[in-house]
Amino acid sequence: MGVLVLYIREVDLKNFRNFTDYTIYLDKGTNIILGKNAVGKTNILESIYLLSRGRSFKTSRLSEIIKYDEDNFFIGIKAVRSSGEFTAQFGYAQDNKKQIKINGIEINKQSELLGNIYTILFLPEDLYIVKGNPQIRRNFIDEALLQIRPNYTYDLMRYYKVLKQRNNLLKNIAKKPSLRYTLDSWDEQIAAYGIKVATIRARFVETLSRAVADIHKNLSGGEELEIKYLVNFGNNIDMYRELLKSSVEKDITYGQTTIGPHRDDIKILLDGKAARTFASQGQQRTIALSLKLAEIKIIRDNIGESPVFLLDDVFSELDDDRKMCVMKNIKDIQSVITANDIHMDGSWNVIRLGVI
């Protein structure tokens, strides 16, 4: 586990998106970035997220982040921890060369950034955690687990690697049936890693469901929220193996594995009904926000420190009561919030972009 950051004090940007050379100073509490559309509010959130996770939430191509007509970008963060100042830097050049430093010491892997600055991100499209397809919900759970259980990365990557190899074999068996005898060894591996992934996910969802219940009741004015993890291969490895064997004909026909945690889902119930079907868009957005707030609580309980909460345009579709409830829930942590305008009173650090 890396050094635990208490709060980010300063973010320096060079040739990052629309910023040529810009420094933003943050308070340890609530920071609200105000400005019209296209002035770069979300870009600031992206820079903090990138330096905490090693990747962007907007693009998989770092070259797209470089300011037009430039050939590199740089992000620097100065943060405060209990033992003193902490610094992190991320530089990227057009020739695909990266330079990442933590406290002035260069690191070789982007994954080494994890565990130094914990962040939770809320975007307007996060309502698709509720209304979207199962892959979006699985990604939400996996992203949360990668922060609080770094070893989960290994099991997840191994599972998907074996899954890809088994799927390739299934396609080859359709052309060459004599290869079928080799399936058993892949079934053993996929069952071993799959049961690990599903077990870790299921335990996390149980914790998440407990954490989110009170948060959502408070945020929504009394609605009951429950989260359940739905597996499609039983609850033990023997049942998993049997289902893999019984589905082999279908798997060969489709050229893909139809059983396993890559097909699991998370059921979200609002007052006992499926939120994906029965909740309004406003309710779905509130559920997504409640899930993010619950994730903060879980990180605090597991890590002992609060993550930085990054919220993009969170106020646009919330009524005043829910806005104030959100602000109350995040008053004890550092948050960076983007908005076009805000019509609430509070002792917040307000940063105005696009104002001379």
Side-chain angles (χ1 to χ4, degrees):
M1 185 182 296
V3 176
L4 299 175
V5 168
L6 298 178
Y7 66 93
I8 296 170
R9 184 164 57 83
E10 183 179 315
V11 182
D12 297 312
L13 303 175
K14 291 181 174 61
N15 299 330
F16 188 92
R17 297 288 187 182
N18 63 314
F19 295 106
T20 301
D21 192 349
Y22 185 76
T23 300
I24 183 170
Y25 299 95
L26 302 174
D27 283 355
K28 62 182 178 181
T30 302
N31 300 270
I32 301 179
I33 303 174
L34 294 180
K36 296 180 180 179
N37 292 335
V39 296
K41 301 186 301 293
T42 306
N43 297 343
I44 292 172
L45 301 187
E46 181 187 21
S47 70
I48 297 171
Y49 185 90
L50 196 157
L51 205 34
S52 72
R53 306 286 187 101
R55 55 186 171 79
S56 165
F57 61 80
K58 295 173 74 174
T59 179
S60 60
R61 297 181 180 181
L62 292 177
S63 59
E64 294 179 1
I65 297 173
I66 300 173
K67 191 175 188 295
Y68 181 73
D69 249 5
E70 299 292 345
D71 60 8
N72 64 82
F73 73 75
F74 170 86
I75 313 165
I77 280 180
K78 293 178 182 176
V80 175
R81 63 179 193 236
S82 55
S83 59
E85 189 173 88
F86 168 86
T87 63
Q89 299 173 338
F90 192 112
Y92 176 81
Q94 195 72 264
D95 59 4
N96 206 33
K97 185 178 180 181
K98 304 184 192 101
Q99 186 177 59
I100 307 170
K101 291 183 179 181
I102 296 175
N103 287 332
I105 300 172
E106 190 165 350
I107 62 174
N108 297 319
K109 297 180 180 178
Q110 285 178 223
S111 59
E112 292 180 54
L113 283 169
L114 293 173
N116 288 288
I117 304 172
Y118 291 90
T119 54
I120 301 295
L121 174 69
F122 178 83
L123 299 170
E125 56 264 35
D126 279 338
L127 66 90
Y128 283 95
I129 295 172
V130 183
K131 69 184 290 186
N133 62 52
Q135 180 67 58
I136 296 172
R137 287 182 285 279
R138 290 193 297 268
N139 287 345
F140 165 65
I141 298 301
D142 289 340
E143 286 289 332
L145 279 165
L146 291 175
Q147 286 207 100
I148 63 173
R149 291 186 60 128
N151 292 338
Y152 177 69
T153 306
Y154 175 78
D155 291 327
L156 190 66
M157 289 178 65
R158 287 298 303 168
Y159 174 76
Y160 278 105
K161 183 176 181 181
V162 173
L163 175 66
K164 183 178 179 180
Q165 291 168 324
R166 187 180 191 269
N167 287 345
N168 287 335
L169 178 59
L170 290 167
K171 293 181 180 73
N172 289 331
I173 289 172
K175 301 172 186 174
K176 192 177 180 181
S178 61
L179 292 173
R180 186 165 175 160
Y181 78 95
T182 62
L183 260 179
D184 287 347
S185 63
W186 291 111
D187 286 357
E188 281 299 313
Q189 292 184 64
I190 204 168
Y193 287 115
I195 203 76
K196 282 186 181 181
V197 168
T199 299
I200 293 169
R201 280 181 180 171
R203 288 174 182 166
F204 176 78
V205 170
E206 286 179 10
T207 303
L208 181 67
S209 189
R210 289 193 298 270
V212 79
D214 288 340
I215 290 170
H216 187 74
K217 188 177 289 187
N218 185 31
L219 194 59
S220 65
E223 293 173 350
E224 299 281 346
L225 187 64
E226 186 181 4
I227 317 295
K228 294 181 179 181
Y229 185 65
L230 305 179
V231 297
N232 64 38
F233 53 87
N235 57 9
N236 64 69
I237 196 166
D238 292 328
M239 190 179 295
Y240 195 171
R241 292 190 190 104
E242 287 303 312
L243 285 169
L244 283 168
K245 290 184 185 299
S246 64
S247 64
V248 69
E249 296 299 338
K250 181 169 66 173
D251 289 358
I252 291 170
T253 300
Y254 288 107
Q256 60 182 334
T257 305
T258 56
I259 296 294
H262 64 289
R263 303 294 292 270
D264 289 347
D265 199 359
I266 293 89
K267 191 171 187 178
I268 302 174
L269 299 172
L270 184 67
D271 291 334
K273 297 179 180 179
R276 184 181 183 186
T277 305
F278 294 100
S280 68
Q281 183 155 305
Q283 287 174 314
Q284 290 173 342
R285 189 178 300 278
T286 304
I287 290 169
L289 185 54
S290 296
L291 290 170
K292 298 288 183 167
L293 291 168
E295 193 181 346
I296 290 172
K297 183 180 186 306
I298 292 170
I299 289 180
R300 292 177 80 167
D301 291 346
N302 281 269
I303 307 300
E305 293 289 347
S306 298
V308 180
F309 199 14
L310 308 174
L311 300 101
D312 190 29
D313 198 25
V314 66
F315 295 135
S316 62
E317 295 190 35
L318 294 179
D319 59 37
D320 288 343
D321 288 342
R322 295 195 186 196
K323 288 176 186 176
M324 291 308 300
C325 191
V326 170
M327 301 305 279
K328 183 179 177 181
N329 271 278
I330 63 176
K331 64 182 175 62
D332 295 328
I333 67 171
Q334 185 179 40
S335 59
V336 186
I337 304 169
T338 68
N340 285 354
D341 204 349
I342 187 167
H343 302 287
M344 293 186 296
D345 295 324
S347 54
W348 309 310
N349 178 35
V350 176
I351 301 147
R352 298 183 183 274
L353 292 186
V355 177
I356 300 175

